[in-house]
Amino acid sequence: MDKSAKIEYNGKSYDFPIITGSENEEAIDINKLRAETGLITYDPGYKNTGHCISNITYLDGENGILRYRGYSVDELCEKKSFLDVVYLLIFGDLPSSDQLTKFQNDIREEALVDEDLKKIFKSFPRSAHPMGVLSSLTSALIAFNPLNETKISIHDKKGITEDDKMYMSTVRLLSKFPIISSWTLRKIKGLPLNYSNNKLSYTENIAYMMFALPNREYIQNDVITNALNTLLILHADHEQNCSTSTVRIVGSSYAGLYASISAGIGALWGRLHGGANQAVIEMLELIKNDGSDIDKYISKAKDKSDPFRLMGFGHRVYKNFDPRAKIIKKAADQVLNDLGINDPVLDIAKSIEEKALNDEYFIEKKLYPNVDFYSGIIYRALGIPTEMFTVMFALGRIPGWIAQWKEMRDSNNPIGRPRQIYNGPTHRTIS
Ligand code: ACO
């Protein structure tokens, strides 16, 4: 018998179907709730609200499981390149070697940025936060690459299908986003802007664009490429988080892919989300400069009257451990070791983790290190400035945003439009 959930209200009983996902997650389908009962649900922060059915990423917060299209992130980090994972997320399966080659070549073909976009970039002050610059430039890309991907028409006048447009938009964004991201880093460092090196793999090319110095031979460093590969894969998707939901909801109005992703970059920027990786390093620096008194800061984090929180700790869905944090901690150790770097903030981070994991407050609230706790330590070791950390997150998250946007559009979801409970003044007149 099909399962259902009963709601008793105003002396009447209503049945709502239970829907079950492929991993046996269950949800009450309240599609008809308002029509049948006149009620809406109240769920600030959408803590209990599923806003889509998705085939992309499976996350079990209680058991620390994260899989993309069925593959665990641990295995993907171990055996696959970031570009394989990009393909997997967007197209549903790992690519064959021919598919990967074609995808890579198509991305290389688009590795140019209009000189007028460069002018816009150059007009930003050097002090501008790179996330703001990137959000603006991603939006500006629409003007230079006007493909209006919607499902309204099947063919445009030139006979280009919506699928062709989607593919072109995808390839262009995957090609141009790393270029403009590397420009933001080079501007901070006062280096000349550069372009792709089409002989390199996708991840190697990101490292090249960021780190190649003028008038010096560029030597590929496998430690850096491997670390970047792991970080980018671990950030590639995370189901319905704040920025991804933003991308979906913006796209649900039939806004284009770039406009939606530009909004997602804005959402990711905040310190409670992707901006936490920058906030973690700033916090660790603060503690170091304040005499490394870790107990003092653990106490501050526990004090309700103190706004201080342990950045990089806690997660909306992981209540056991964040599987990404485990992989990143190992990678941080390895990168520092391989590059021969002794970073005192890593020792502070480890002490904080040890103390917090044994502290009643953090145990009771199920607060564990999240993906951002150790990622900044790797970025620092690679010579990436702190304000660029969230950009590195965005570089990894682009394929997830594209995959989620595409899925939302393909499934013809209705426009995202939550309701509210109005609690302001009742009707009044101007006397
Ligand atoms: N330090 C101290 N206390 C914390 C922390 C923390 N980092 N995180 C949560 N808590 C406490 C809260 O004060 C709250 O206590 P209460 O129940 O007594 O009121 C309780 O734990 C639950 O916290 P909420 O903020 O209600 O949990 P929510 O699911 O809304 O927030 C979040 C999750 C935003 C990640 C939160 O844990 C946080 O602010 N962490 C620090 C920022 C951070 O690292 N963000 C990155 C998340 S990963 C990502 O987005 C990529």
Side-chain angles (χ1 to χ4, degrees), residues 45-59:
Y46 309 126
K47 291 192 177 194
N48 308 285
T49 297
H51 78 140
C52 61
I53 295 177
S54 178
N55 298 343
I56 301 170
T57 290
Y58 174 62
L59 194 170

Side-chain angles (χ1 to χ4, degrees), residues 47 271-273 276 301 304 309-316 361 365 367 370-372 393:
K47 291 192 177 194
R271 292 163 83 84
L272 295 189
H273 189 18
K304 278 259 154 252
R309 276 188 170 198
L310 266 195
M311 299 313 288
F313 259 74
H315 199 275
R316 170 60 61 80
Y361 173 93
K365 293 187 189 302
L367 300 169
N370 59 48
V371 66
D372 291 320
F393 191 146

Side-chain angles (χ1 to χ4, degrees), residues 34 125 186 203 291 375 394 403:
R34 189 163 181 279
R186 296 181 78 84
T203 309
S375 60

